[in-house]
Structures are given as C-alpha cells and as structure tokens.
Amino acid sequence: AFSLVGEGASAAASGVETVISEGVDSITGTMEDVDTQELQTQVEDILADTDVPELQPEYLSNELDEARNEVTEAGKDLLTDPENSEEILSSLAESLQSRAEAIGNAADRDAIAEAVSSNTDLTEEEASEATDNIYNGLQTASESAQDLINQAADGIEEAQQQIDQAIEDARVAAE
C-alpha cells in the first residue's frame, strides 16, 4: 500500500502529459509543419490561465506527490508509534479518500471553455472540440489518480487488519 501511491505518481504525471498532448492534437488536427511544442505550451497556458488550481498542469502530479508523502509519513509514524496504528491508518485513509474525491471533482469544463475561447483563435466549433478533448483527458487522468489513491486506501485498510491480527496473535502467544 505504501509504495502503490509512489509508483502511481509517475503514471498519473504521464497521464497529465498525455492530456496536454491530446489537447495539442485536437488543436492541430491534420495540420502539417506546425510547431507542436508551441501548441503544447499553448494548451498548458490555457489551463494555467483558468486560475483554477485544479486545472493547473502540475495539479495531479502534485496531488500524488503529496499523497505519497502522507503515506511515507504514516509509515514512519507506524514504526515509531505502533500502539496508535489504528488512529494513524484511519487518519491516513480519511485524508487519502478526501484527496481522491477532490481530484475526482477537479475538472471544470466551463473554466476550460472560457480559457480556450479567450486564448486561441479557434472557431467556436474548434474551441468546443478542443475543450471537450482537454476536459475528457483531464477526467481520464483524474480518474486514474483517484483510482491509485483509492487502491492505497484499500491497502491501508488491509494493513490495519493485518496489524490487528498480529497484535491479537502476539497477545495470545504471550498468555
């Protein structure tokens, strides 16, 4: 459980890069001889221009980094204070679940649409398509991040059961 979030952070960050690339692809369509790096930068700028923290290009990777740090700290706390394992793991699971819900609710289609229309020269139809592609990509990346965090929370619950069983086994053996 503790390594799951860490392993998934790079996958989710890669998912964000994919979202940005797909946004670029939606803007470029079938055009040739276009500087796609410039367009990728434009998609990143569009998202950054929303001033919505959850739409910033680095949001998901930062959230996963923070989740990984929480899991690491909980692991350290478990090593130094095993008597409070239930409280430590319960608090961690609650925090991760809250983070997963926030990620799931992060994409704001209206903010993306406004940023696309005000920061590009796209026609209304092209802007709508670009908005859909960016939004859908963000949703997919958010769902992946949310799944990773939920899997970590499930692992924490399983770890708590194993700890409880180990404590019970030690008590029985001591008697």
Side-chain angles (χ1 to χ4, degrees):
F2 294 117
S3 66
L4 184 61
V5 173
E7 293 170 3
S10 63
S14 175
V16 172
E17 290 173 15
T18 300
V19 168
I20 292 170
S21 292
E22 287 174 359
V24 168
D25 291 345
S26 75
I27 292 171
T28 61
T30 59
M31 292 184 277
E32 294 182 15
D33 299 323
V34 174
D35 181 358
T36 57
Q37 182 58 45
E38 180 181 329
L39 290 169
Q40 181 163 340
T41 301
Q42 185 178 18
V43 171
E44 291 172 355
D45 290 347
I46 288 169
L47 293 175
D49 189 58
T50 64
D51 291 328
V52 176
E54 294 82 1
L55 294 180
Q56 301 309 303
E58 69 281 350
Y59 172 74
L60 285 178
S61 59
N62 287 346
E63 284 298 302
L64 288 170
D65 285 345
E66 288 179 26
R68 183 179 56 233
N69 291 339
E70 281 184 68
V71 171
T72 300
E73 286 303 312
K76 290 177 186 176
D77 291 345
L78 286 171
L79 291 173
T80 60
D81 192 12
E83 297 82 28
N84 289 321
S85 65
E86 189 171 329
E87 180 182 325
I88 292 166
L89 292 175
S90 175
S91 175
L92 176 61
E94 191 175 297
S95 175
L96 291 177
Q97 184 60 40
S98 176
R99 188 178 300 280
E101 288 173 13
I103 288 171
N105 296 327
D108 182 343
R109 179 183 224 96
D110 293 337
I112 294 168
E114 176 61 32
V116 168
S117 69
S118 65
N119 290 297
T120 65
D121 294 329
L122 299 176
T123 66
E124 187 176 326
E125 184 179 329
E126 291 169 334
S128 177
E129 184 178 336
T131 297
D132 289 344
N133 289 337
I134 293 169
Y135 177 81
N136 292 336
L138 285 172
Q139 283 296 101
T140 299
S142 292
E143 289 168 7
S144 294
Q146 192 173 11
D147 288 346
L148 288 169
I149 291 174
N150 285 334
Q151 288 172 11
D154 291 345
I156 290 165
E157 185 177 318
E158 185 177 314
Q160 179 61 54
Q161 291 170 357
Q162 291 172 354
I163 289 169
D164 290 346
Q165 185 62 49
I167 290 171
E168 182 60 30
D169 291 348
R171 284 186 185 142
V172 169
E175 293 175 357

